Structures are given as C-alpha cells and as structure tokens.
Amino acid sequence: MSKTSRLTKISLIIILCIGLVGCVSIPTGFLKPNEGYLEKRQLQIRQYDTTNEKQILAAVAGVLQDLGFNLDDSETDVGFVAASKKADATNKGQVASAVILDILVGGNNTARCDKSQIIKASVITKPSLDGKKTVVRVTFQRIVWNMSNQIGRVETISDPLMYQKFYESLSKAIFLEAQQI
Amino acid sequence: MSKLRKYLGLTLILLLIVTLSGCATPAVNALGSSESQVKLRSIQTRAFDTTDKKKMMQTVLSTMQDLDFVIDKADFTLGSITGSKFLGYEVVTMSVTVRPRGEKQLLVRANAQYGIKSVEDPATYQDFFTALEKAIFLTAQQVD
C-alpha cells in the first residue's frame, strides 16, 4: 500500500511538472520600473549645453558610424536613432576551458561557446526639463550566437565601460561637428 | 487494494490528458486573440488631457527606456514606437501608438508580446500606464 501511494505521489509530481512546463505562463510585473532604474539613468544619460537637438543627433549618428555600427532606423522629429553591428564574441578563456572539459569529461561543451554577436544601440535625444540643454540617452542590447549557430544568450548590456566609451566619443564628435571636421 | 490501484491509474491517465490537451491551439491563429476586441482596447488604451504629441512620444520613449526596452523603431507621423527587451531567454516586444482623440486629448495604446504570446493581462498594462503617468505628470484616463 505504501509503495502504491509513493508511486502515485511521484507520478502526480511528474504530471504537474509536465503541466507547468508545457504552458509557460506570461510573468506579470515586467512593465513596472524596478529599483535600479535611477542608477541606470545615471549610466545611460548625459546632458549637453545646447538646444540644437538636430546637431546632437547628427553627432550621434556620426559616433555610431565611428564605432562600426550600421544605422537601422531614425526619426529626427522625436530624436531617435537606432543602429546595430555584428561582432566577434569568441572568448579565448571560455573556449580553452570548454576544450579541456570536453577532453576530461566528454560532451560537447565547445559547441556552446560564444561565437558571434549582434549589438543593438538605440539613442533618444530630448530637451531637458528647463529647456536649456539636450538630454541624450543610449541603451545597448546584444544577442550572442554559439559555435553551433544557435542563440546562446540575449541580454541588455549594463557594463559601465561601454557607456563611458560611447559618451567619450560623442563629446569628441560634438566638438568635431562644431568645428566642421 | 487492486481496485484502488485501478482507480488511481484511471485518475492519472485522465490527469495526463487534461494537462497535455491544455496547451492545444488551432493551427492557424495568426489573427486570434482570447479577449474580445472591445475589452482588449480598453485594457490597452488610455486618454491623456494634452495635445502635445511630440512631448507624449518623447515621454513614452523615456518610460520604455526606464523599463529596459531598446527602441527599435519610431515614427512621428504615425505616432508609433516599437521596442524590445529581454526577460531571461524570452523577448518582450511592445508597440505604442499615440494619436489625437478629439480636440483636447491624446490616445495612447500599448500592446505587448511575450515570446509568441500576446500579453492580455490588464495589470501589466496598468503598470506601464502608471509609469507613463508619473513621467508626464498627467492622469491616464480609462476609455470606454
């Protein structure tokens, strides 16, 4: 009797698992700002002392080209530019450890290593609240493919270095545009 | 004892059928939606007392950026904005349209997809409009 009831319990759990996995329900609350959004603003936003939004947008397009991006879409009336680029995503350390793991344990870890990626950037410009400055905000995303050409990872890039590099280049570009170079 | 076992077995099979058939969807459901058209509109739409379309669109853009969306497309003439964000391995895409309603109001409609599913949960959209309200200092009004 106890054996039967244990068997039933196990089968019930398995069925429950199938049921739960089969119909992945949509999570709630993903359109609610999370706690870290003010910090993210700090990272992603810079202000420039000009009211000439078009000039800033032109500089943004220039910077994206400098960084090897292709422009995908833009709308000057609302201050928007989107761009993307393909890049190499191989990481020597990751490949080396996967090869060692394959040799020692077997399996196919190397196939799961990062191979290439598409980085998407989208930039929004708008006048600041007091109307005296122009606010620029950039966000980056990337999609990483692995060695067997499957999508291995998708993520929003939150590395501060990436944003610093972008704004350093933008400051330079605004200067260059002003000098007509 | 054996009767009990038979009974249990039958229940298990029934349960299995229920769980597996729960996900069945018709082959062609490109235009399908489980909610009624009217109800869906009222869930996804709010009216704001302003006619400044540009400011509204810029506020929608920054609200979406606050919510981790990367903006993919925007069009001022149509008043449309599309963005995407990642939740684990799933992609959430959202389109927002801004258009005039009468002389004094703007209608904002948002619709989101989670992976291959349409988001039809009223609370999720309410979260978005609450964030938008705060950003633009105006009240989002329910539209019937």
Side-chain angles (χ1 to χ4, degrees), chain B residues 52-110:
Chain B
D52 193 343
K53 186 178 176 186
K54 185 173 171 173
K55 193 180 169 203
M56 179 56 88
M57 282 187 74
Q58 278 172 334
T59 314
V60 170
L61 285 169
S62 35
T63 307
M64 283 175 74
Q65 285 192 316
D66 277 343
L67 296 168
D68 280 344
F69 279 91
V70 165
I71 311 300
D72 298 317
K73 285 198 159 39
D75 188 309
F76 180 65
T77 319
L78 277 179
S80 68
I81 295 162
T82 307
S84 57
K85 78 178 230 173
F86 299 130
L87 271 186
Y89 279 94
E90 285 295 352
V91 183
V92 179
T93 44
M94 184 158 80
S95 292
V96 179
T97 53
V98 178
R99 56 197 175 89
R101 183 198 200 215
E103 299 281 286
K104 288 177 186 155
Q105 282 188 317
L106 283 176
L107 267 189
V108 178
R109 177 171 184 175

Short mmCIF file of all heavy atoms in Angstrom, two decimals, chain B residues 52-110:
data_model
loop_
_atom_site.label_atom_id
_atom_site.label_comp_id
_atom_site.label_asym_id
_atom_site.label_seq_id
_atom_site.Cartn_x
_atom_site.Cartn_y
_atom_site.Cartn_z
N ASP B 52 0.02 67.73 -27.02
CA ASP B 52 1.43 67.79 -27.39
C ASP B 52 1.94 66.39 -27.74
O ASP B 52 2.47 65.67 -26.90
CB ASP B 52 2.23 68.40 -26.23
CG ASP B 52 3.64 68.79 -26.65
OD1 ASP B 52 4.09 68.31 -27.71
OD2 ASP B 52 4.26 69.58 -25.92
N LYS B 53 1.77 66.03 -29.02
CA LYS B 53 2.12 64.67 -29.46
C LYS B 53 3.61 64.39 -29.31
O LYS B 53 4.02 63.32 -28.90
CB LYS B 53 1.69 64.53 -30.92
CG LYS B 53 1.85 63.14 -31.49
CD LYS B 53 1.34 63.13 -32.93
CE LYS B 53 1.56 61.80 -33.60
NZ LYS B 53 1.21 61.86 -35.03
N LYS B 54 4.41 65.40 -29.65
CA LYS B 54 5.87 65.22 -29.60
C LYS B 54 6.32 64.92 -28.16
O LYS B 54 7.07 63.99 -27.92
CB LYS B 54 6.56 66.48 -30.13
CG LYS B 54 8.06 66.31 -30.22
CD LYS B 54 8.72 67.47 -30.90
CE LYS B 54 10.23 67.32 -30.74
NZ LYS B 54 10.99 68.28 -31.50
N LYS B 55 5.80 65.72 -27.22
CA LYS B 55 6.20 65.53 -25.83
C LYS B 55 5.72 64.16 -25.34
O LYS B 55 6.44 63.46 -24.62
CB LYS B 55 5.61 66.63 -24.95
CG LYS B 55 6.24 66.66 -23.57
CD LYS B 55 5.66 67.76 -22.71
CE LYS B 55 6.13 67.56 -21.28
NZ LYS B 55 5.22 68.21 -20.34
N MET B 56 4.50 63.80 -25.73
CA MET B 56 3.96 62.50 -25.32
C MET B 56 4.83 61.36 -25.86
O MET B 56 5.19 60.43 -25.14
CB MET B 56 2.52 62.37 -25.80
CG MET B 56 1.86 61.04 -25.46
SD MET B 56 1.90 60.66 -23.70
CE MET B 56 0.41 61.46 -23.15
N MET B 57 5.23 61.48 -27.13
CA MET B 57 6.06 60.42 -27.71
C MET B 57 7.41 60.35 -27.02
O MET B 57 7.94 59.26 -26.76
CB MET B 57 6.23 60.64 -29.22
CG MET B 57 5.01 60.20 -30.00
SD MET B 57 5.27 60.25 -31.77
CE MET B 57 6.32 58.83 -32.03
N GLN B 58 7.98 61.53 -26.72
CA GLN B 58 9.28 61.52 -26.04
C GLN B 58 9.17 60.92 -24.64
O GLN B 58 10.08 60.23 -24.18
CB GLN B 58 9.85 62.94 -25.98
CG GLN B 58 10.54 63.29 -27.30
CD GLN B 58 10.97 64.73 -27.41
OE1 GLN B 58 10.40 65.59 -26.77
NE2 GLN B 58 11.96 64.98 -28.24
N THR B 59 8.01 61.17 -23.98
CA THR B 59 7.82 60.59 -22.65
C THR B 59 7.64 59.08 -22.74
O THR B 59 8.17 58.34 -21.91
CB THR B 59 6.60 61.23 -21.95
OG1 THR B 59 6.66 62.63 -22.12
CG2 THR B 59 6.58 60.90 -20.48
N VAL B 60 6.92 58.62 -23.75
CA VAL B 60 6.77 57.18 -23.95
C VAL B 60 8.14 56.53 -24.18
O VAL B 60 8.47 55.50 -23.58
CB VAL B 60 5.82 56.87 -25.14
CG1 VAL B 60 5.87 55.40 -25.51
CG2 VAL B 60 4.40 57.28 -24.82
N LEU B 61 8.95 57.20 -25.02
CA LEU B 61 10.29 56.68 -25.30
C LEU B 61 11.11 56.56 -24.02
O LEU B 61 11.73 55.52 -23.75
CB LEU B 61 11.02 57.60 -26.29
CG LEU B 61 10.57 57.53 -27.75
CD1 LEU B 61 11.18 58.67 -28.55
CD2 LEU B 61 10.98 56.21 -28.37
N SER B 62 11.10 57.63 -23.19
CA SER B 62 11.95 57.53 -21.99
C SER B 62 11.37 56.57 -20.96
O SER B 62 12.12 55.91 -20.24
CB SER B 62 12.26 58.90 -21.37
OG SER B 62 11.20 59.77 -21.50
N THR B 63 10.04 56.47 -20.91
CA THR B 63 9.45 55.48 -20.00
C THR B 63 9.85 54.07 -20.43
O THR B 63 10.22 53.23 -19.60
CB THR B 63 7.91 55.58 -19.99
OG1 THR B 63 7.55 56.93 -19.72
CG2 THR B 63 7.30 54.69 -18.95
N MET B 64 9.82 53.81 -21.74
CA MET B 64 10.21 52.48 -22.22
C MET B 64 11.69 52.22 -21.94
O MET B 64 12.08 51.11 -21.59
CB MET B 64 9.91 52.35 -23.72
CG MET B 64 8.43 52.11 -24.00
SD MET B 64 8.01 52.09 -25.74
CE MET B 64 8.65 50.51 -26.25
N GLN B 65 12.52 53.26 -22.06
CA GLN B 65 13.94 53.07 -21.73
C GLN B 65 14.13 52.79 -20.24
O GLN B 65 14.98 51.99 -19.87
CB GLN B 65 14.74 54.30 -22.16
CG GLN B 65 14.94 54.36 -23.67
CD GLN B 65 15.98 55.39 -24.07
OE1 GLN B 65 15.98 56.49 -23.56
NE2 GLN B 65 16.83 55.04 -25.00
N ASP B 66 13.31 53.45 -19.40
CA ASP B 66 13.36 53.15 -17.97
C ASP B 66 13.02 51.69 -17.69
O ASP B 66 13.49 51.10 -16.74
CB ASP B 66 12.36 54.03 -17.20
CG ASP B 66 12.93 55.40 -16.88
OD1 ASP B 66 14.16 55.55 -16.97
OD2 ASP B 66 12.15 56.30 -16.56
N LEU B 67 12.16 51.13 -18.54
CA LEU B 67 11.72 49.74 -18.35
C LEU B 67 12.63 48.76 -19.07
O LEU B 67 12.26 47.61 -19.33
CB LEU B 67 10.28 49.58 -18.87
CG LEU B 67 9.22 50.39 -18.13
CD1 LEU B 67 7.91 50.38 -18.88
CD2 LEU B 67 9.02 49.86 -16.73
N ASP B 68 13.85 49.22 -19.46
CA ASP B 68 14.86 48.36 -20.09
C ASP B 68 14.61 48.04 -21.55
O ASP B 68 15.25 47.14 -22.10
CB ASP B 68 15.01 47.01 -19.35
CG ASP B 68 15.87 47.15 -18.12
OD1 ASP B 68 16.57 48.18 -18.04
OD2 ASP B 68 15.83 46.27 -17.25
N PHE B 69 13.68 48.73 -22.17
CA PHE B 69 13.45 48.47 -23.59
C PHE B 69 14.51 49.16 -24.43
O PHE B 69 14.96 50.25 -24.10
CB PHE B 69 12.07 49.00 -24.02
CG PHE B 69 10.94 48.09 -23.68
CD1 PHE B 69 10.27 48.21 -22.47
CD2 PHE B 69 10.54 47.11 -24.56
CE1 PHE B 69 9.23 47.38 -22.14
CE2 PHE B 69 9.49 46.26 -24.24
CZ PHE B 69 8.84 46.40 -23.03
N VAL B 70 14.91 48.50 -25.50
CA VAL B 70 15.72 49.16 -26.52
C VAL B 70 14.77 49.50 -27.66
O VAL B 70 14.01 48.65 -28.12
CB VAL B 70 16.87 48.24 -26.99
CG1 VAL B 70 17.48 48.74 -28.27
CG2 VAL B 70 17.94 48.17 -25.91
N ILE B 71 14.77 50.77 -28.06
CA ILE B 71 13.81 51.21 -29.07
C ILE B 71 14.28 50.74 -30.45
O ILE B 71 15.42 50.97 -30.84
CB ILE B 71 13.67 52.75 -29.07
CG1 ILE B 71 13.44 53.26 -27.64
CG2 ILE B 71 12.56 53.20 -30.00
CD1 ILE B 71 12.22 52.75 -26.95
N ASP B 72 13.39 50.06 -31.17
CA ASP B 72 13.76 49.55 -32.50
C ASP B 72 13.28 50.48 -33.61
O ASP B 72 13.96 50.65 -34.61
CB ASP B 72 13.13 48.16 -32.73
CG ASP B 72 13.66 47.15 -31.72
OD1 ASP B 72 14.86 47.16 -31.46
OD2 ASP B 72 12.85 46.36 -31.18
N LYS B 73 12.09 51.03 -33.43
CA LYS B 73 11.54 51.89 -34.48
C LYS B 73 10.68 53.00 -33.86
O LYS B 73 10.08 52.80 -32.81
CB LYS B 73 10.64 51.05 -35.41
CG LYS B 73 11.43 50.16 -36.35
CD LYS B 73 10.58 49.70 -37.51
CE LYS B 73 11.41 49.25 -38.69
NZ LYS B 73 12.61 48.51 -38.40
N ALA B 74 10.64 54.13 -34.56
CA ALA B 74 9.76 55.21 -34.13
C ALA B 74 9.35 56.01 -35.35
O ALA B 74 10.14 56.15 -36.28
CB ALA B 74 10.47 56.11 -33.13
N ASP B 75 8.12 56.47 -35.37
CA ASP B 75 7.64 57.26 -36.49
C ASP B 75 6.72 58.35 -35.95
O ASP B 75 5.70 58.06 -35.34
CB ASP B 75 6.88 56.35 -37.48
CG ASP B 75 6.52 57.07 -38.76
OD1 ASP B 75 5.92 58.17 -38.67
OD2 ASP B 75 6.82 56.55 -39.83
N PHE B 76 7.13 59.61 -36.18
CA PHE B 76 6.38 60.72 -35.59
C PHE B 76 5.02 60.90 -36.28
O PHE B 76 4.01 61.15 -35.64
CB PHE B 76 7.20 62.00 -35.68
CG PHE B 76 6.50 63.19 -35.10
CD1 PHE B 76 6.22 63.23 -33.74
CD2 PHE B 76 6.10 64.25 -35.90
CE1 PHE B 76 5.55 64.32 -33.18
CE2 PHE B 76 5.44 65.33 -35.35
CZ PHE B 76 5.17 65.37 -34.00
N THR B 77 5.00 60.75 -37.61
CA THR B 77 3.75 60.96 -38.35
C THR B 77 2.68 59.97 -37.91
O THR B 77 1.53 60.33 -37.64
CB THR B 77 4.00 60.81 -39.86
OG1 THR B 77 5.23 61.44 -40.18
CG2 THR B 77 2.89 61.42 -40.66
N LEU B 78 3.07 58.71 -37.81
CA LEU B 78 2.12 57.69 -37.36
C LEU B 78 1.94 57.69 -35.86
O LEU B 78 0.97 57.17 -35.33
CB LEU B 78 2.62 56.30 -37.77
CG LEU B 78 2.32 55.82 -39.18
CD1 LEU B 78 2.91 54.45 -39.38
CD2 LEU B 78 0.82 55.77 -39.41
N GLY B 79 2.91 58.25 -35.17
CA GLY B 79 2.89 58.25 -33.71
C GLY B 79 3.18 56.88 -33.13
O GLY B 79 2.72 56.53 -32.05
N SER B 80 3.96 56.09 -33.86
CA SER B 80 4.20 54.72 -33.38
C SER B 80 5.63 54.52 -32.88
O SER B 80 6.57 55.12 -33.39
CB SER B 80 3.92 53.72 -34.50
OG SER B 80 4.89 53.88 -35.51
N ILE B 81 5.76 53.71 -31.86
CA ILE B 81 7.05 53.39 -31.26
C ILE B 81 7.10 51.89 -31.01
O ILE B 81 6.14 51.32 -30.48
CB ILE B 81 7.25 54.13 -29.92
CG1 ILE B 81 7.30 55.64 -30.14
CG2 ILE B 81 8.51 53.66 -29.21
CD1 ILE B 81 7.06 56.44 -28.90
N THR B 82 8.19 51.23 -31.39
CA THR B 82 8.34 49.81 -31.11
C THR B 82 9.66 49.57 -30.40
O THR B 82 10.68 50.13 -30.78
CB THR B 82 8.31 48.99 -32.42
OG1 THR B 82 7.15 49.35 -33.14
CG2 THR B 82 8.29 47.51 -32.14
N GLY B 83 9.62 48.75 -29.36
CA GLY B 83 10.84 48.45 -28.63
C GLY B 83 10.85 47.01 -28.18
O GLY B 83 9.83 46.33 -28.23
N SER B 84 12.02 46.53 -27.75
CA SER B 84 12.09 45.16 -27.26
C SER B 84 12.97 45.08 -26.03
O SER B 84 13.87 45.89 -25.84
CB SER B 84 12.63 44.24 -28.35
OG SER B 84 13.89 44.69 -28.77
N LYS B 85 12.68 44.10 -25.18
CA LYS B 85 13.53 43.85 -24.04
C LYS B 85 13.62 42.36 -23.78
O LYS B 85 12.79 41.58 -24.28
CB LYS B 85 13.04 44.60 -22.81
CG LYS B 85 11.86 43.98 -22.08
CD LYS B 85 11.53 44.83 -20.87
CE LYS B 85 11.40 44.06 -19.60
NZ LYS B 85 11.24 44.89 -18.43
N PHE B 86 14.61 41.93 -23.03
CA PHE B 86 14.81 40.51 -22.76
C PHE B 86 14.44 40.18 -21.33
O PHE B 86 14.77 40.88 -20.40
CB PHE B 86 16.27 40.13 -23.00
CG PHE B 86 16.72 40.35 -24.41
CD1 PHE B 86 17.89 41.04 -24.69
CD2 PHE B 86 15.97 39.87 -25.47
CE1 PHE B 86 18.30 41.25 -25.99
CE2 PHE B 86 16.38 40.06 -26.77
CZ PHE B 86 17.55 40.76 -27.03
N LEU B 87 13.70 39.09 -21.18
CA LEU B 87 13.37 38.56 -19.85
C LEU B 87 13.88 37.14 -19.84
O LEU B 87 13.24 36.25 -20.38
CB LEU B 87 11.86 38.53 -19.64
CG LEU B 87 11.12 39.74 -19.08
CD1 LEU B 87 9.68 39.38 -18.84
CD2 LEU B 87 11.77 40.24 -17.82
N GLY B 88 15.05 36.92 -19.27
CA GLY B 88 15.64 35.59 -19.35
C GLY B 88 15.93 35.27 -20.80
O GLY B 88 16.65 36.01 -21.46
N TYR B 89 15.34 34.20 -21.33
CA TYR B 89 15.55 33.84 -22.72
C TYR B 89 14.43 34.34 -23.62
O TYR B 89 14.45 34.14 -24.82
CB TYR B 89 15.70 32.33 -22.88
CG TYR B 89 17.09 31.87 -22.55
CD1 TYR B 89 17.41 31.43 -21.28
CD2 TYR B 89 18.09 31.92 -23.51
CE1 TYR B 89 18.69 31.03 -20.96
CE2 TYR B 89 19.37 31.52 -23.22
CZ TYR B 89 19.68 31.08 -21.95
OH TYR B 89 20.95 30.70 -21.65
N GLU B 90 13.41 34.94 -23.04
CA GLU B 90 12.28 35.39 -23.85
C GLU B 90 12.44 36.85 -24.27
O GLU B 90 13.07 37.64 -23.55
CB GLU B 90 10.97 35.23 -23.08
CG GLU B 90 10.47 33.80 -22.99
CD GLU B 90 10.11 33.19 -24.34
OE1 GLU B 90 10.09 33.93 -25.35
OE2 GLU B 90 9.84 31.98 -24.38
N VAL B 91 11.87 37.19 -25.40
CA VAL B 91 11.89 38.57 -25.87
C VAL B 91 10.51 39.18 -25.67
O VAL B 91 9.50 38.59 -26.03
CB VAL B 91 12.26 38.63 -27.37
CG1 VAL B 91 12.36 40.08 -27.82
CG2 VAL B 91 13.56 37.91 -27.62
N VAL B 92 10.47 40.34 -25.07
CA VAL B 92 9.23 41.07 -24.94
C VAL B 92 9.27 42.21 -25.95
O VAL B 92 10.20 43.00 -25.95
CB VAL B 92 9.06 41.67 -23.52
CG1 VAL B 92 7.77 42.46 -23.44
CG2 VAL B 92 9.10 40.58 -22.48
N THR B 93 8.30 42.24 -26.86
CA THR B 93 8.25 43.38 -27.78
C THR B 93 7.00 44.18 -27.47
O THR B 93 5.95 43.62 -27.14
CB THR B 93 8.18 42.93 -29.26
OG1 THR B 93 7.25 41.86 -29.37
CG2 THR B 93 9.52 42.47 -29.76
N MET B 94 7.13 45.49 -27.55
CA MET B 94 5.98 46.33 -27.26
C MET B 94 5.87 47.43 -28.30
O MET B 94 6.87 48.04 -28.68
CB MET B 94 6.09 46.92 -25.87
CG MET B 94 4.87 47.73 -25.49
SD MET B 94 4.64 47.93 -23.73
CE MET B 94 5.78 49.23 -23.40
N SER B 95 4.65 47.65 -28.78
CA SER B 95 4.38 48.77 -29.68
C SER B 95 3.46 49.74 -28.97
O SER B 95 2.52 49.32 -28.30
CB SER B 95 3.68 48.30 -30.95
OG SER B 95 4.55 47.52 -31.70
N VAL B 96 3.74 51.02 -29.10
CA VAL B 96 2.89 52.04 -28.51
C VAL B 96 2.51 53.01 -29.61
O VAL B 96 3.35 53.42 -30.40
CB VAL B 96 3.64 52.79 -27.38
CG1 VAL B 96 2.75 53.87 -26.79
CG2 VAL B 96 4.09 51.83 -26.30
N THR B 97 1.22 53.35 -29.70
CA THR B 97 0.82 54.37 -30.66
C THR B 97 0.20 55.54 -29.93
O THR B 97 -0.49 55.38 -28.92
CB THR B 97 -0.21 53.83 -31.68
OG1 THR B 97 -1.28 53.24 -30.96
CG2 THR B 97 0.41 52.80 -32.61
N VAL B 98 0.50 56.74 -30.43
CA VAL B 98 -0.04 57.97 -29.86
C VAL B 98 -0.82 58.66 -30.97
O VAL B 98 -0.28 58.92 -32.03
CB VAL B 98 1.11 58.90 -29.39
CG1 VAL B 98 0.55 60.20 -28.84
CG2 VAL B 98 1.97 58.20 -28.34
N ARG B 99 -2.12 58.90 -30.72
CA ARG B 99 -2.88 59.62 -31.75
C ARG B 99 -3.91 60.52 -31.10
O ARG B 99 -4.32 60.30 -29.96
CB ARG B 99 -3.53 58.66 -32.74
CG ARG B 99 -4.41 57.62 -32.13
CD ARG B 99 -4.65 56.49 -33.11
NE ARG B 99 -5.41 55.45 -32.45
CZ ARG B 99 -6.75 55.42 -32.43
NH1 ARG B 99 -7.46 56.36 -33.02
NH2 ARG B 99 -7.38 54.44 -31.81
N PRO B 100 -4.31 61.57 -31.85
CA PRO B 100 -5.23 62.54 -31.25
C PRO B 100 -6.62 61.94 -31.05
O PRO B 100 -7.04 61.08 -31.82
CB PRO B 100 -5.30 63.67 -32.29
CG PRO B 100 -4.35 63.34 -33.37
CD PRO B 100 -3.91 61.93 -33.21
N ARG B 101 -7.28 62.39 -30.00
CA ARG B 101 -8.67 61.98 -29.75
C ARG B 101 -9.44 63.27 -29.54
O ARG B 101 -9.28 63.94 -28.52
CB ARG B 101 -8.73 61.12 -28.50
CG ARG B 101 -10.12 60.61 -28.23
CD ARG B 101 -10.22 60.15 -26.80
NE ARG B 101 -11.34 59.25 -26.63
CZ ARG B 101 -12.07 59.20 -25.52
NH1 ARG B 101 -11.79 60.01 -24.51
NH2 ARG B 101 -13.06 58.36 -25.43
N GLY B 102 -10.26 63.66 -30.50
CA GLY B 102 -10.98 64.93 -30.43
C GLY B 102 -9.99 66.09 -30.48
O GLY B 102 -8.90 65.97 -31.04
N GLU B 103 -10.37 67.22 -29.87
CA GLU B 103 -9.54 68.42 -29.95
C GLU B 103 -8.57 68.53 -28.79
O GLU B 103 -7.58 69.23 -28.88
CB GLU B 103 -10.46 69.66 -29.95
CG GLU B 103 -11.43 69.73 -31.12
CD GLU B 103 -10.75 70.23 -32.39
OE1 GLU B 103 -10.47 71.42 -32.46
OE2 GLU B 103 -10.49 69.40 -33.29
N LYS B 104 -8.91 67.88 -27.68
CA LYS B 104 -8.15 68.17 -26.47
C LYS B 104 -7.39 67.00 -25.89
O LYS B 104 -6.72 67.15 -24.87
CB LYS B 104 -9.12 68.70 -25.39
CG LYS B 104 -9.61 70.09 -25.67
CD LYS B 104 -10.61 70.51 -24.62
CE LYS B 104 -11.21 71.85 -24.99
NZ LYS B 104 -12.53 72.05 -24.40
N GLN B 105 -7.49 65.84 -26.50
CA GLN B 105 -6.87 64.67 -25.87
C GLN B 105 -5.99 63.87 -26.82
O GLN B 105 -6.10 63.99 -28.04
CB GLN B 105 -7.96 63.74 -25.33
CG GLN B 105 -8.57 64.20 -24.02
CD GLN B 105 -9.49 63.15 -23.45
OE1 GLN B 105 -10.26 62.53 -24.17
NE2 GLN B 105 -9.40 62.94 -22.14
N LEU B 106 -5.13 63.08 -26.22
CA LEU B 106 -4.33 62.12 -26.98
C LEU B 106 -4.66 60.72 -26.48
O LEU B 106 -4.84 60.50 -25.29
CB LEU B 106 -2.83 62.36 -26.76
CG LEU B 106 -2.17 63.53 -27.49
CD1 LEU B 106 -0.72 63.64 -27.06
CD2 LEU B 106 -2.25 63.36 -29.00
N LEU B 107 -4.75 59.78 -27.41
CA LEU B 107 -4.96 58.38 -27.04
C LEU B 107 -3.62 57.66 -27.11
O LEU B 107 -2.91 57.76 -28.11
CB LEU B 107 -5.90 57.71 -28.04
CG LEU B 107 -7.39 57.66 -27.78
CD1 LEU B 107 -8.03 56.75 -28.80
CD2 LEU B 107 -7.70 57.18 -26.38
N VAL B 108 -3.30 56.94 -26.06
CA VAL B 108 -2.07 56.15 -26.07
C VAL B 108 -2.47 54.68 -25.97
O VAL B 108 -3.20 54.29 -25.06
CB VAL B 108 -1.15 56.52 -24.89
CG1 VAL B 108 0.09 55.65 -24.90
CG2 VAL B 108 -0.77 57.98 -24.95
N ARG B 109 -2.02 53.89 -26.94
CA ARG B 109 -2.33 52.46 -26.90
C ARG B 109 -1.04 51.66 -26.90
O ARG B 109 -0.14 51.90 -27.71
CB ARG B 109 -3.18 52.06 -28.10
CG ARG B 109 -3.45 50.57 -28.08
CD ARG B 109 -4.46 50.15 -29.10
NE ARG B 109 -4.71 48.73 -28.94
CZ ARG B 109 -5.62 48.07 -29.63
NH1 ARG B 109 -6.36 48.70 -30.49
NH2 ARG B 109 -5.79 46.77 -29.44
N ALA B 110 -0.95 50.71 -26.00
CA ALA B 110 0.24 49.87 -25.91
C ALA B 110 -0.16 48.43 -26.14
O ALA B 110 -1.21 48.00 -25.64
CB ALA B 110 0.88 50.02 -24.54
#
